[in-house]
Amino acid sequence: MQQMKPYPLATLLAAALATAALMQPAVAAESAAIDLAPVEVADLYIKTVINQDEASVAKLNAYLRPTRVAGHQPAEYASYSALQDTTAKFPKETGKLIADLFPASMRAAVTPAAELLAANVIAAKNGAACKATKADPVTVENGMQTAVVSFECELVKVPVAWAPAAQQLAKSACKVDQCVAGLQKIAATYATSPKQAWRAVFAVSREKDTEAWRNDFARETFDEIWEYL
């Protein structure tokens, strides 16, 4: 049987988002078209990267566009269609990783349940109720203004995360019908388990008052959500 590394889901999604859905933010900037506070900007990043909310993607793109154009970067920071495409591909691609944990003779039989599990996991991530709560006072260092924003997400709290749960099941010498039922049971926990709170911070920066608040490495902060799924 093949071994699945801890949280391969995070690695897979991060790579997809990095190459297809999110562009690199600009370095230089001119005046932003929309004046937003750091908490508001953080909220847009959260709802873009974690929730893939269409309205937030559009508003964040509009806010960052002058900064990106001035820095000779692609005008759009995020592509809503690319984010949706990543989500659409996720169950099949990650379902294969799960199915490959099982003996070759039963992979075809367990694949639908494995894809269901992957679909429930990505739905739990995208459906997390997240909100930026407060921003610390702005600090200035080497001419760069930075505001650290606290945020929290309400996430499903499963008894055992999907990766170790699937590994344990694959090692249990279950028969085909037992393996299928086991994967379905793991999948169900992502739809029925109670919630937990994930709290973290997200920094946004700018060089001038007329520039957009931004974070060049937003995805790296939000990828931590997988450790709670």
Side-chain angles (χ1 to χ4, degrees):
M1 298 181 188
Q2 298 183 16
Q3 293 294 317
M4 182 180 290
K5 296 180 181 179
Y7 309 113
L9 198 60
T11 303
L12 176 63
L13 185 61
L17 290 176
T19 56
L22 300 180
M23 310 300 181
Q24 286 297 319
V27 175
E30 291 182 353
S31 60
I34 307 168
D35 186 20
L36 297 177
V39 167
E40 296 174 295
V41 176
D43 238 3
L44 291 178
Y45 273 106
I46 291 166
K47 289 179 170 57
T48 292
V49 180
I50 293 180
N51 303 122
Q52 301 181 8
D53 175 69
E54 185 173 11
S56 297
V57 172
K59 190 170 183 179
L60 182 60
N61 278 336
Y63 175 71
L64 293 175
R65 191 172 294 120
T67 293
R68 297 180 61 78
V69 171
H72 307 289
Q73 299 291 321
E76 304 302 290
Y77 168 72
S79 166
Y80 177 71
S81 61
L83 288 166
Q84 290 295 292
D85 185 57
T86 297
T87 293
K89 292 177 179 177
F90 197 85
K92 183 172 291 293
E93 293 178 350
T94 306
K96 183 180 185 304
L97 292 176
I98 297 169
D100 284 350
L101 292 170
F102 295 84
S105 60
M106 66 170 65
R107 286 174 191 164
V110 303
T111 291
E115 291 180 357
L116 172 65
L117 171 55
N120 282 10
V121 171
I122 193 66
K125 193 278 292 183
N126 289 353
C130 300
K131 183 178 181 180
T133 55
K134 67 174 183 177
D136 291 345
V138 175
T139 61
V140 181
E141 184 174 351
N142 297 324
M144 182 69 71
Q145 302 176 29
T146 299
V148 177
V149 180
S150 298
F151 71 92
E152 61 182 47
C153 294
E154 189 176 79
L155 308 170
V156 65
K157 182 177 177 61
V158 295
V160 182
W162 70 271
Q167 288 176 323
Q168 291 169 15
L169 181 64
K171 293 176 180 178
S172 70
C174 53
K175 296 181 179 180
V176 174
D177 57 342
Q178 294 172 326
C179 291
V180 170
L183 288 173
Q184 291 172 338
K185 183 176 180 180
I186 298 168
T189 65
Y190 280 88
T192 60
S193 293
K195 303 294 184 178
Q196 64 176 321
W198 170 45
R199 297 181 178 89
V201 295
F202 179 72
V204 290
S205 301
R206 66 184 183 185
E207 293 179 333
K208 302 175 183 177
D209 291 344
T210 54
E211 294 177 352
W213 292 103
R214 61 196 186 275
N215 185 311
D216 291 355
F217 306 100
R219 182 177 51 79
E220 294 183 7
T221 295
F222 300 131
D223 275 352
E224 293 178 15
I225 195 172
W226 295 111
E227 297 181 16
Y228 296 83
L229 292 172

